Amino acid sequence: MQSMRIAGMAATVAAGLWSVSAPARDPGAVLMPENAEARAFQEAVGYANAVIAGDTIYLSGVVAGPAPGESDLAPGYERAFKHIAATLARAGASWDDVVDITTFHTDLAAHIEGFAAVKNRYVKAPFPAWTAIGVSRLYEPTAVVEIKVVARKPAK
């Protein structure tokens, strides 16, 4: 009986008789880069620095890696965490409001200690959830980590 009900709903959706539409996103809730070159790139690829939905702030991943001539990864991590802090501030939040961090590492075992040292200068107790994932590569060829953050807007 259950499978017949599901099949019937699927046929109704396929026939276009029943539709679900997502609510339109408030355009003021989308944060794009202030830098014209970065904004043009993000518009061409199709993503925002952050999207605010209700009281939740979703940041796009921020990559970190060494700049030309750098052998230490810490300055790259520092730049990424400062960039995230600036985006959070534009959204009306701070690192204190972060509830979830997901990081993607090209060499998790080799980089986690140095990464965590920089992260811990920004992220304080009570700590957010954090998932660290090892990956074979990132979109930016020189990047060693990508950091994705979800925050809650603080109560006024």
Side-chain angles (χ1 to χ4, degrees):
M1 183 66 162
Q2 182 70 16
S3 62
M4 289 177 57
R5 209 173 303 143
I6 291 170
M9 286 191 308
T12 302
V13 170
L17 302 174
W18 182 64
S19 65
V20 176
S21 59
R25 201 169 45 221
D26 175 5
V30 175
L31 297 180
M32 295 299 289
E34 296 173 319
N35 172 285
E37 185 178 333
R39 183 182 182 110
F41 172 78
Q42 286 184 211
E43 287 176 347
V45 176
Y47 74 98
N49 278 1
V51 173
I52 304 167
D55 65 348
T56 305
I57 306 163
Y58 301 91
L59 274 68
S60 291
V62 174
V63 296
E70 289 179 346
S71 58
D72 184 7
L73 296 176
Y77 299 151
E78 188 73 34
R79 285 188 294 274
F81 277 87
K82 284 180 179 178
H83 177 82
I84 293 167
T87 302
L88 287 167
R90 287 179 59 210
S94 73
W95 277 106
D96 292 339
D97 304 304
V98 171
V99 296
D100 184 58
I101 302 171
T102 304
T103 55
F104 304 90
H105 304 260
T106 59
D107 191 342
L108 185 56
H111 301 149
I112 196 67
E113 189 175 313
F115 178 83
V118 174
K119 177 190 74 64
N120 291 342
R121 290 199 289 269
Y122 291 86
V123 180
K124 305 294 182 195
F127 299 109
W130 176 26
T131 303
I133 302 167
V135 296
S136 61
R137 58 181 253 182
L138 296 166
Y139 179 80
E140 172 57 46
T142 62
V144 297
V145 66
E146 184 160 351
I147 308 160
K148 181 156 179 34
V149 170
V150 177
R152 302 285 285 188
K153 286 193 97 168
K156 291 184 179 180

